Each structure stands twice: as C-alpha cells, then as structure tokens.
Amino acid sequence: MNGGAFSLDVPAEPLNLGTARTFASRVAAHFGCADDTVLDLKLAVSEACTGWIAVAQGDERVVRVFVRPDIDHLRVEVTGSGSIGAAAPGLEGGGPTRLELIRSLFPDAEVGPSDDGGVAVRFSVPTRG
Amino acid sequence: MTPRLRIVSADPSGVRSYRTSSESPFKTCHPKVSSTRAGGQMGVSPSVHSWTSTIVPSAASFIVIVEAFGEAESSWALASSTAIRRSSIESTVSAERAATLAATERRMWTTSGRAGTATTTGEAGEPSGTETYTRRSAGPEVLAIQLELETRTEGDWTILDVVGEVDLYTAPSLRDKLVSLIDGGAMRLLVNLVGVGFMDSSGLGVLVGGLKRSKERGGDLALACPEGPPLKVLSITGLDKVFPVYRDVASALRS
C-alpha cells in the first residue's frame, strides 16, 4: 500500500465540486474501496465542500480534499472556511444538516480546526484491504 | 488560484507510475496511479519525495506544470509522446515558456532524476527543472459537470427528464426549470431522476422547494427514482417518505 497521501486544492466555487468528487472517488477506487463506499464518499465530499463553497461569496478561498491511506481505511479531510453545520437551502427546519448527512455515511465524521487556520471535516473510509 | 494536485511521498518500496489525462483541466487533476514500470510512463524515483502538478486553466488552453522534488537516481528513457514539443527550463529559472503540443487525449512522460529540484526532461538525457507545456483545449466548453433537462408530456403528466449530476453548481438550473413548469401550469409534475448519477442536499433542497410550490398551486410533484445515489440521499434524509417515489416513469404513469 502506497504510504503517500493525495491532496487536491480547488478554488471555492461551485464549478469545482465535480472535480473534488471525482478526485476523491478515483483515489478511493484505487485503494480498493467498494463501489457503494465510493458513492458514499462522493456524497460526503460534495456535502463538505458545499458547506465551504456556499459561503465563499466569490472571494479567494480554497477548498482542500486530502486523502491519506492507512492500513484498512482512508483518512479523508476536507478543509475550507465556513460552516457545514447548516442545512441545505430548502431543507431548513426539516432536514439534516450537511454534517449530519456526512455522519450518516461515515459515523466518525468530526469537525475541527485545520492546520492552516480553517475548518476541517475528517472521517474514515473503509477499504477492502 | 490554480488548482493544485500534490502527491506527497512516493512509494519507497518501488517505482510508481503516474499518468494524467489532459482532456480537460479538470481531468488533468486526476492522476491514474499504476504500479507498472513501463516505457513511456512517468517513473518516479523511489527517493522522490513529492510530485506536484499544477493546472493553470485559461480561456482556450491550460498549462500543466510538473515538478518533482527529492533526490534523484537513475534516469529513464524519454516517453514516446513525440507529439509534444515542450520547453525545458532550468531549475534555477522561475519563468515559464509555453509550448504548443498536438491535441492528444493522454500525455505520458518520464522523468529523470536530478538532485534537489525538478526532475522532468524535455529530450532524452536533457535535464530540466520545470517542464511546462500548453495544450489547446478543444473549444471554449469546459468539462464541468453538466445537467440536461428535457420536458415532455404523457397523458396529464408533465415529465421533466433530468440527466447528469445535481449539486450546488447545477441545482439552480433545475430550480429554475421547476419554477417555470409549475408556474406555467403543470399540475402533475414527474421529475425523472433515472438519468441522475449523483445528487446531494443541494438537489434535495430544490426538489423540496418544487414540491412546496406545486402544492401551493394545488398540484402534485412526484419522483421517478430507481435504486442509486439519488434514492440513497432521499432515504438518508427521510425525504423518500415525503415525495411520491416511483421506480421509473412507467410505474408513475400507471399509478
């Protein structure tokens, strides 16, 4: 297993959500994640990135998707600035927040400060190996 | 800010090859990692500690800058990407020279090591620092996620066929279409999500908004949604119990 890590930085713009999802899913597929897990990861990454991008307001913010393989899982970190504790527009008052949605997919998901002063969502994604 | 992909620390146990597709700035960000050491593929020395590809998109082309850092070992033969005319820049020079290259869909190249800084080569045996090339994109279109929306009628149903991925970027177009249809008098609206490969909560919010709008006007909004990512996100959020959900369009029409 490759001991390296993979990181993608993209401008915090909605246009780049697909890139972030594709990047994470390709890395996960490479490291043997099941198809359903890869789909869950795409959703989790999209939700996390959206939380940052939705409040970026066109400034020069960056969203980072970081994937580090470990023995039997991938450690995923999505870093930005903003709040993913909010519900998606249209779901306020009735639906889950983005963080709750991520936790329904990856129960160990947590939010905390990132090394660069931003905010990070971190969770583990199981691999087959 | 340019999208930047950085792979930290190559596999110390052997050679890893990296190949990127240059179909678009976005796909170039997605390396395909293979464990084979094959001629024509980029070999990364086991002692190369990091490898960075920076994508600089512009209106009609994008520039890929490949830099590798670490201690170098032996060099490999140049890749067979003969269609490329690249400029080689010494590592001490920070400027970049753009070069044109033929429009091919995949770029493969090899690296030769050189201690300290960038390790890409222009010609076999010719050391260089940073290798930069420009690829002209096929056109102004960017391969961002697209969403296709088609409308048709079946009996008293207005069917909105949605194809693509629904997220924060594409959800506004779906919302605008739903508003247009509902305000235009569509009383029985079926949103066909059979062709949707991905949907997140942004899409859910739009659908919920459409349902509310339709009900306010005395109409109905249902979903055609088979097993797959859209149904999963509906289930996770409990919204599969809020919308009438059918396996496909035919099932909805029979209801």
Side-chain angles (χ1 to χ4, degrees), chain B residues 168-220:
Chain B
L168 184 67
Y169 180 62
T170 58
S173 61
L174 176 60
R175 181 188 61 233
D176 292 346
K177 190 65 174 179
L178 286 174
V179 168
S180 171
L181 289 173
I182 294 168
D183 290 356
M187 298 303 290
R188 297 195 80 189
L189 181 56
L190 177 66
V191 182
N192 180 14
L193 301 176
V194 171
V196 173
F198 174 85
M199 186 169 70
D200 63 14
S201 61
S202 301
L204 294 183
V206 166
L207 293 176
V208 169
L211 179 64
K212 290 178 181 176
R213 197 179 192 92
S214 179
K215 285 189 175 300
E216 287 170 356
R217 288 157 176 74
D220 296 319

Side-chain angles (χ1 to χ4, degrees), chain A residues 43-67:
Chain A
L43 180 57
V45 167
S46 196
E47 293 294 338
C49 292
T50 297
W52 312 143
I53 290 172
V55 297
Q57 298 177 350
D59 56 23
E60 294 295 316
R61 300 192 194 192
V62 169
V63 173
R64 171 172 294 167
V65 182
F66 181 84
V67 183

